[in-house]
Amino acid sequence: MNCIFCGIADGSVKSQLVYEDEQVVAFKDLNPQAPTHLLIIPRKHIARLSEADEKDAALLGHILLVARKLAQDLNLKDFRLITNNGRGAGQSVDHLHFHLMAGRRFLWPAG
Ligand code: DGP
């Protein structure tokens, strides 16, 4: 399987890493949509949230806590955490990732 985010997770593809542990990697988005725009991914290849299952419950919880820690470490009071699930929702990379974005006003409802 040729997955760019698996490459980032195993270090074979360069990225600006901001956090890593045994389960998760976080790095700067190549095409930032906000002054702070990080991607948080599991090292395990899961194509999208709808492909995760009960066995991934602890991993998914851990990703949320990593997002919380990064927001805290970066002093982000307001932030947005999103995952695009499927092409129709804007997903372009088929490896589960959460966008952690901050530093500008966000519209809601999102367009
Ligand atoms: P999405 O559209 O939700 O699938 O988001 C994919 C994001 O991944 C998009 O904002 C751009 C980013 N991206 C794609 N390829 C790379 C890469 O090789 N390195 C980094 N740092 N980000 C990437």
Side-chain angles (χ1 to χ4, degrees), residues 49-97:
L49 187 59
S50 56
E51 306 272 315
D53 63 28
E54 287 300 322
K55 290 193 296 299
D56 300 310
L59 174 61
L60 295 172
H62 181 62
I63 289 172
L64 293 184
L65 291 176
V66 168
R68 172 183 172 275
K69 173 191 162 38
L70 290 171
Q72 228 165 30
D73 290 351
L74 294 169
N75 279 318
L76 308 178
K77 186 170 76 66
D78 300 327
F79 60 88
R80 182 168 283 184
L81 183 71
I82 59 167
T83 190
N84 296 324
N85 192 98
R87 293 286 176 273
Q91 183 177 13
S92 60
V93 177
D94 287 341
H95 182 126
L96 178 63
H97 51 282

Side-chain angles (χ1 to χ4, degrees), residues 4-5 8 13-16 27-33 37 39 82-87 89-95 97-99:
I4 193 86
F5 284 1
I8 288 175
V13 172
K14 264 210 193 149
S15 71
Q16 289 184 269
F27 52 95
K28 294 189 180 179
D29 194 292
L30 203 56
N31 184 23
Q33 302 299 313
H37 188 167
L39 298 174
I82 59 167
T83 190
N84 296 324
N85 192 98
R87 293 286 176 273
Q91 183 177 13
S92 60
V93 177
D94 287 341
H95 182 126
H97 51 282
F98 290 81
H99 298 257

